[in-house]
Amino acid sequence: MNVSSLAGIVAGAARFISGVQASWRDGAPQARQSVFFANHTSHLDFVVLWASLPADIRARTRPVAAQDYWDRGLRRALAVNVFNAVLVPRSGEDRPRESRARSTIDRIAAEMGDDYSLIIFPEGTRGTGESVAPFKSGLYHLCLQKPSLQLVPAFIENLNRVLPKGQFLPVPLISRITFGAPASFDPLEPELVFLERMRDAVCGLRER
Amino acid sequence: MMPGHYGLDQKLLWACGGILGLLVVATIVGRVMRLAIKDPVAEGTIANLNQRIGSWWVMCAIFGLTLVVGSTGSLVLFGLISFLALREYLTLIPTRRADHHTLFWTFFIFTPLQYYLLSLKWLGFFIVIPVYGFLFIPAAMALAGDTQSFLERAAKIQWGLMICVYCLSYAPALLTLNIPGFGPDAKLLLFLVIVDQLNDVLQYVFGKLLGRHKIAPSISPNKTWEGFVGGTLSATAIGTALWWLTPFSLPAAAAISLAIALLGFGGGLVMSAIKRDLGVKDYGNLIGGHGGILDRMDSLIFAAPVFFHIVRFFYGS
């Protein structure tokens, strides 16, 4: 079985299990190099976001995932072969924090090349689902390197109830993902203003 | 017919043929209406009608197929319907993180257990959810330790289990009923589903055609006295005319059909009231034109348990 049909099966299974209802506020997405970014409440977030993308876009979209969690055994096989994830370190290196973050962004930008899109969760860590935490600066630094990226916000609802932080067994409730209108990067905009604008774009998609 | 066995008998085939004929007629009427009526206001309703008819083909095909397969087929089908209905219901119900394990139990222990017990034809299925499920849910939630809106959360989860799993499971439970001279027979389930679902359809049709006076304006703008009376009378007439599917006499078939129609109406009303309470229009979007599984099953949830007990009391061995 080739990788793309396996990916199709995994995406279908993820959609069925999560019962995800995806909607595009601004119509179907353009097939441009993009960053899809969303609120983060569950380990299932990137799987469901990835599975909700149209097949042609999904094939050119790579989630960013934590190396320490995904880089072993079966998880690694799944992350590398099916999701084509970009695995980045979260901790464990003894270089100064700032330069480590920079080298991670450099790596992500290099892995994107000129045609891969990305799935990231700018909060950096999973929340409770009630509020969206302030965004980390990674999104901004990535945009500095690749200013022409199409920035697509998404809001994920109910996945925190399907598989909350700290739980092992999922409960099959229906989740919903809403994609918003694409935004673009403005190099003149201050970092914090940009990050707040992106966060507002995500929060504005919340239905209730 | 041999007790404990049913298959493709003549009457079952006639009934299935009748449903097929009805679907064909409905499809033709829907297409003609789409071509003939150009009124922009009516167009939305007609598009929805055609979508509903399309979904009816799929639902009838699935139901017919599982009926032919035998009691296991119906059990698996209704087990799946219960699971999906519970999923729609609990998605809309506000729960808290502490309820996670309790929710897991309702989905993966109580729901399969109910249908497993039914497959054993053990009458213990009557008590598992109302006794053990009823007590287990608040106990598990108390152990989780979150007391905010405790009673409310427990009651809502219990309610979901009762309507989506317990009440609905009475429909396939009809296949376990021993009736002297009739046997456990799928035609009983078919009769219930035909009368119940046609009652829904006819209330909708009469309501759309003649509806003027709303029965419960705060609950549903679509429920009218004209729809209620027209639907109930015609569903009762159809049920009476289908007496040959059942062990009932003609007058008994009329009385029981009337009961199914009234209960179905009650179920629709209650499930609509819950939707208004939750602030949603439909329970889901699984069935094109109809909404979610619960939107289609609302009448059966009320009709199935009472129909079962009527038949068991008056005709059971």
Side-chain angles (χ1 to χ4, degrees):
Chain A
M1 188 189 300
N2 65 33
V3 170
S4 77
S5 63
L6 181 65
I9 292 167
V10 172
R15 281 195 303 267
F16 179 75
I17 293 166
S18 66
V20 67
Q21 300 169 358
S23 60
W24 298 82
R25 280 278 176 85
D26 202 47
Q30 289 179 13
R32 266 179 59 192
Q33 193 175 23
S34 310
V35 173
F36 299 96
F37 59 101
N39 56 322
H40 197 18
T41 60
S42 168
H43 271 317
L44 299 176
D45 282 339
F46 90 69
V47 182
V48 167
L49 199 161
W50 173 84
S52 303
L53 296 171
D56 53 332
I57 293 178
R58 193 195 313 135
R60 311 218 125 274
T61 301
R62 308 182 61 177
V64 175
Q67 193 155 32
D68 53 281
Y69 182 76
W70 288 96
D71 204 10
R72 51 199 143 97
L74 185 65
R75 281 189 211 145
R76 184 186 158 75
L78 210 61
V80 172
N81 297 325
V82 178
F83 303 126
N84 195 13
V86 181
L87 298 176
V88 297
R90 281 200 292 205
S91 58
E93 288 170 60
D94 48 18
R95 277 181 293 161
R97 192 181 155 78
E98 184 70 4
S99 82
R100 196 171 70 230
R102 283 289 152 75
S103 74
T104 299
I105 298 295
D106 288 345
R107 254 211 49 221
I108 291 173
E111 296 260 14
M112 286 179 83
D114 285 330
D115 41 25
Y116 277 107
S117 294
L118 218 57
I119 297 172
I120 61 170
F121 299 97
E123 291 171 89
T125 182
R126 286 171 293 153
T128 59
E130 274 139 35
S131 58
V132 178
F135 280 7
K136 298 256 166 67
S137 61
L139 181 61
Y140 179 76
H141 291 289
L142 182 66
C143 288
L144 279 181
Q145 294 208 11
K146 293 185 163 292
S148 64
L149 285 176
Q150 174 177 244
L151 305 170
V152 184
F155 192 82
I156 302 175
E157 272 173 286
N158 251 0
L159 268 182
N160 57 311
R161 294 175 69 202
V162 173
L163 187 67
K165 205 171 176 171
Q167 293 290 348
F168 173 68
L169 299 167
V171 160
L173 300 173
I174 300 164
S175 54
R176 181 162 49 198
I177 179 163
T178 312
F179 293 91
S184 49
F185 180 63
D186 173 6
L188 298 175
E189 194 175 23
E191 177 178 338
L192 290 179
V193 177
F194 168 77
L195 291 175
E196 197 50 33
R197 179 162 70 95
M198 293 300 109
R199 184 174 168 273
D200 287 347
V202 168
C203 295
L205 299 168
R206 183 176 220 148
E207 299 246 327
R208 46 190 173 125
Chain B
M1 184 182 293
M2 294 286 290
H5 168 83
Y6 66 85
L8 279 180
D9 64 295
Q10 208 64 44
K11 289 174 175 177
L12 195 67
L13 281 179
W14 287 341
C16 290
I19 295 171
L20 194 67
L22 206 59
L23 283 172
V24 170
V25 170
T27 305
I28 293 170
V29 170
R31 293 291 137 88
V32 168
M33 279 171 78
R34 190 170 65 193
L35 293 176
I37 301 175
K38 286 288 171 231
D39 175 33
V41 181
E43 255 170 27
T45 307
I46 292 168
N48 175 261
L49 177 74
N50 278 304
Q51 202 187 8
R52 278 173 186 249
I53 294 169
S55 297
W56 275 119
W57 277 98
V58 178
M59 289 188 282
C60 290
I62 293 172
F63 181 58
L65 219 64
T66 54
L67 217 54
V68 168
V69 167
S71 64
T72 313
S74 296
L75 279 172
V76 170
L77 174 67
F78 277 92
L80 204 62
I81 291 174
S82 280
F83 188 86
L84 294 173
L86 190 66
R87 178 187 204 179
E88 286 176 355
Y89 174 86
L90 288 175
T91 295
L92 293 174
I93 292 296
T95 58
R96 291 169 61 82
R97 277 179 81 175
D99 302 336
H100 193 78
H101 282 123
T102 313
L103 294 178
F104 185 85
W105 273 75
T106 61
F107 277 109
F108 293 109
I109 307 292
F110 283 112
T111 306
L113 183 66
Q114 176 75 357
Y115 285 90
Y116 175 68
L117 294 178
L118 262 178
S119 77
L120 301 178
K121 304 194 189 317
W122 181 55
L123 285 183
F125 90 88
F126 283 150
I127 60 156
V128 168
I129 286 174
V131 176
Y132 296 96
F134 181 78
L135 300 175
F136 176 88
I137 286 169
M141 287 174 61
L143 276 175
D146 183 351
T147 55
Q148 188 174 331
S149 325
F150 180 85
L151 184 57
E152 206 179 309
R153 280 155 48 214
K156 282 176 174 169
I157 297 175
Q158 286 168 332
W159 229 78
L161 203 54
M162 282 300 287
I163 56 164
C164 301
V165 183
Y166 184 72
C167 289
L168 260 184
S169 73
Y170 271 102
L174 289 166
L175 303 179
T176 66
L177 274 182
N178 267 316
I179 298 165
F182 185 75
D185 197 315
K187 292 199 291 292
L188 215 48
L189 174 60
L190 185 63
F191 175 81
L192 168 68
V193 171
I194 289 177
V195 177
D196 173 80
Q197 296 291 307
L198 274 181
N199 178 48
D200 279 3
V201 171
L202 290 163
Q203 298 218 1
Y204 167 87
V205 170
F206 277 100
K208 285 279 175 221
L209 293 178
L210 309 171
R212 295 281 179 279
H213 304 90
K214 294 185 169 58
I215 284 191
S218 61
I219 292 174
S220 169
N222 298 323
K223 298 205 189 307
T224 60
W225 280 106
E226 291 81 357
F228 170 64
V229 173
T232 304
L233 289 181
S234 48
T236 305
I238 290 168
T240 312
L242 290 175
W243 97 98
W244 47 270
L245 277 175
T246 68
F248 316 145
S249 66
L250 211 56
I256 291 173
S257 301
L258 179 64
I260 294 173
L262 292 176
L263 283 156
F265 177 77
L269 211 55
V270 169
M271 297 308 286
S272 289
I274 296 174
K275 284 189 283 190
R276 295 302 88 80
D277 185 16
L278 295 169
V280 295
K281 193 185 153 285
D282 290 322
Y283 280 103
N285 57 6
L286 202 66
I287 311 178
H290 297 259
I293 287 254
L294 266 180
D295 294 292
R296 194 87 304 287
M297 289 295 135
D298 52 5
S299 54
L300 202 62
I301 283 168
F302 272 52
V306 180
F307 178 72
F308 178 95
H309 284 296
I310 290 175
V311 177
R312 191 170 118 85
F313 184 80
F314 290 106
Y315 299 89
S317 56

